[in-house]
Amino acid sequence: MRPGGVLSLEVRDSRSKKDLLRPRDMQALLPATRAMELRKQDYHMERPLLNQEHLEELGHWGSAPRTRQWRTWLQCSRARAHALLLQRLPILVWLPRYPVRDWLLGDLLSGLSVAIMQLPQGLAYALLAGLPPVFGLYSSFYPVFIYFLFGTSRHISVGTFAVMSVMVGSVTESLAPQALNDSTINETARDAARVQVASTLSVLVGLFQVGLGLVHFGFVVTYLSEPLVRGYTTAAAVQVFVSQLKYVFELHLSSHSGPLSLIYTVLEVCWKLPDSKVGTMVTAAVAGVVLVLVKLLNDKLQQQLPMPIPGELLTLIGATSISYGMDLKHRFKVSVVGNIPTGLVSPVAPNAQLFSKLMGSAFTIALVGFAIAISLGKIFALRHSYRVDSNQVAGAVSSFFILLIIVKLGELFHDLPKAVLAAIVIVNLKGMLRQLSDICSLWKANRADLLIWLVTFIATILLNLDLGLVAAVIFSLLLVVVRTQRPHYSILGQVPDTDIYRDVAEYSEAKEVPGVKVFRSSATVYFANAEFYSDALKQRCGVDVDLLISQKKKLLKKQEQLKLKQLQKEKKLQKQATSSKDTSVSINVNTSLEDMSNNVEDCKVSPGDKMEDATASGQEDSKAPDVSTLKALGLPQPDFHSLILDLSALSFVDTVCLKSLKNIFRDFREIEVEVYMAACHSPVVSQLEAGHFFDASVTKKHLFASVHDAVTFALQHPRPVPDSPVSVTRL
């Protein structure tokens, strides 16, 4: 069967004639490829009208072969083992090719600058985690060195991070006192318990991240949208800020954990604010002002300076010197860091009894750290044109400088005020707190993203970091479902002199094709929105389909009842006529046999006469009008004869979608409108076939390659009014 029509398409360059003057001169000055493009700017194309059957025949369509990657995972060979080794140890790939002359000096300087930054931040963020400051230095050494071996990013330096530190601190502060069961514990015992909790938590986090890498769980990061991450980090910055107030005002606060813990902490700070120490407040204020001024100076002179001024390091050195010289600890009751042991602490096995209590927090921390590391790594990778594997962690070489500080120089910061570390933490929150301006920008750009940002921020503030993240992810996924439930539905019209169809409500020149309705949804149709899709279709078509079908069924039922009553009436009349004839007939006994035989012969009817009567009756029935049509029933008819469903937005179909499409075909055919589908992607067509959607009533001839194909076919083949014979009882 040949296609039912031919489509032609002519495309011309829309620039002015002045721009297209003297094409030969232009082509002489342009490369050959550009000249070829100019020759192709004016072309004409004709093709046959294509439904799905013709398209599959023309393109030799077949199912794509399935790739079973798990088979390659189970293969074992020397080449595969070597490739796996290089994949898990990237240092074996880049170290032999390391350009010493080009990169060594830059890496030494960058490592030194990172170490200068990590030293004060490591000490400060240890307080966020509720641990002795020296453990902040350990966290600045071990992860960086491990990442140096296994990382794939050349720019990320792994170390202490404010959000991670606060999440760890919320766990250590909630579990350490409960582990000791003593409300009057001393600081040494408390710190030892918190170190054990933090180390066990770190082991679990590491195991989770290794497991995420082995099962290629990097795709989970895609569920953490940018508004969610920014709202979460902003709320975490508020958590960090509040956690440092006790060091700024020198207050002894109770340990709060769980939902509303931030609110309780703020209320307690306000309640105990009169007990704050002036010396500590002045120390924190001076350190904060110095840090802000240095950062402003760096921003102003960043083009002239070879490297930023290390404001944090200079503040640490200056504050330590002043504290030691003026004896701030004893004269003004300013808390200091205290003893920082030199050298590395021997490793200790984690406490397995804490595993069950730390599982949930460990998974949350692993996921958040994973997402932040990959997000930063991909930012630098895109900027510098190399690939970051989303199933590994990042690294650098500044660990050697941190090791030197741990072994020899850590004890020099014995008299460093904790208020200075708190000031460093608060000033470094400037970038994350600036994200509050996202509210204004998202209000103008995308209010759905603004809703995600606000819900994430409020949930994290009220429910704490772990539960807040879970609530934010659940809400963002539910919002996606809700947005697909209420997509944009539109009736399409043809843009003049083109085969392009656009929303008639948005394009004033797009006009509906007479007799044809083209309907499109901006989202895929599945169980959550299939009913909304059907309702919107019937509403946009301007016909109350359900009411029309209901009225038609009532009238047809009424006709059937009238027909049944008429048949019963005819049978009753026939019965009465038969009985009256029987009573009026009498036979004369004296009648001769010959007369009786003559009377019988007169009553006989020939077979030919019977056939003539039946033929006449059949001709009368066939000439009778079809009383099942809307017109015959006196019902209003739709102003269109064909409906086209633009299914280009469908990415998948489920059983509910298949049933809804079937119902659409059935309902619109009930009101004498033929339904066609258009622009289905090949995977969707395969799913339609797998779901047994196509049958005798709906075939691939109802599915077209494009909307224009379907419109052209519908105009050439308007649905005829049903003319099936219906038996009518003649009165």
Side-chain angles (χ1 to χ4, degrees), residues 199-332:
S199 61
T200 305
L201 181 65
S202 300
V203 171
L204 285 177
V205 170
L207 291 176
F208 275 123
Q209 290 195 336
V210 170
L212 294 177
L214 291 177
V215 300
H216 294 262
F217 208 60
F219 72 91
V220 173
V221 180
T222 59
Y223 293 103
L224 303 179
S225 63
E226 183 180 0
L228 187 150
V229 173
R230 293 177 70 87
Y232 183 78
T233 52
T234 306
V238 175
Q239 295 262 12
V240 172
F241 177 81
V242 172
S243 69
Q244 295 304 292
L245 294 179
K246 61 183 179 182
Y247 299 111
V248 172
F249 298 107
E250 193 70 36
L251 299 175
H252 297 282
L253 304 179
S254 303
S255 178
H256 301 286
S257 61
L260 301 179
S261 60
L262 182 70
I263 307 300
Y264 296 144
T265 302
V266 172
L267 293 177
E268 188 176 2
V269 168
C270 295
W271 181 260
K272 294 184 176 180
L273 201 58
D275 299 333
S276 57
K277 295 181 173 57
V278 178
T280 303
M281 294 172 57
V282 172
T283 302
V286 172
V289 170
V290 171
L291 289 170
V292 170
L293 291 177
V294 172
K295 287 184 178 294
L296 293 175
L297 187 62
N298 281 330
D299 293 339
K300 188 174 183 179
L301 302 178
Q302 61 179 347
Q303 300 296 334
Q304 291 79 17
L305 295 174
M307 62 179 297
I309 300 174
E312 288 90 350
L313 181 61
L314 295 178
T315 302
L316 283 187
I317 296 174
T320 303
S321 301
I322 294 173
S323 176
Y324 177 76
M326 298 181 63
D327 195 12
L328 297 181
K329 179 180 180 180
H330 297 96
R331 293 180 59 186
F332 299 99

Side-chain angles (χ1 to χ4, degrees), residues 559-560 563 617-629 721-729:
Q559 283 188 353
E560 291 293 331
K563 177 182 175 182
S617 176
Q619 289 177 354
E620 290 179 2
D621 288 343
S622 64
K623 292 179 181 179
D626 184 2
V627 295
S628 65
T629 63
V721 176
D723 56 356
S724 57
V726 179
S727 59
V728 181
T729 303

Side-chain angles (χ1 to χ4, degrees), residues 130-132 135 172 176 190-200:
L131 303 174
F135 287 90
T172 57
R190 181 201 64 189
D191 291 344
R194 290 182 174 179
V195 167
Q196 188 180 45
V197 171
S199 61
T200 305

Side-chain angles (χ1 to χ4, degrees), residues 88 143 146-147 158 164 201-218 362-374 390-394:
R88 299 306 175 189
I146 297 299
Y147 203 80
V158 176
M164 299 291 100
L201 181 65
S202 300
V203 171
L204 285 177
V205 170
L207 291 176
F208 275 123
Q209 290 195 336
V210 170
L212 294 177
L214 291 177
V215 300
H216 294 262
F217 208 60
F363 182 77
T364 304
I365 295 173
L367 192 61
V368 173
F370 187 83
I372 292 173
I374 293 304
S390 63
N391 296 294
Q392 292 179 334
V393 195

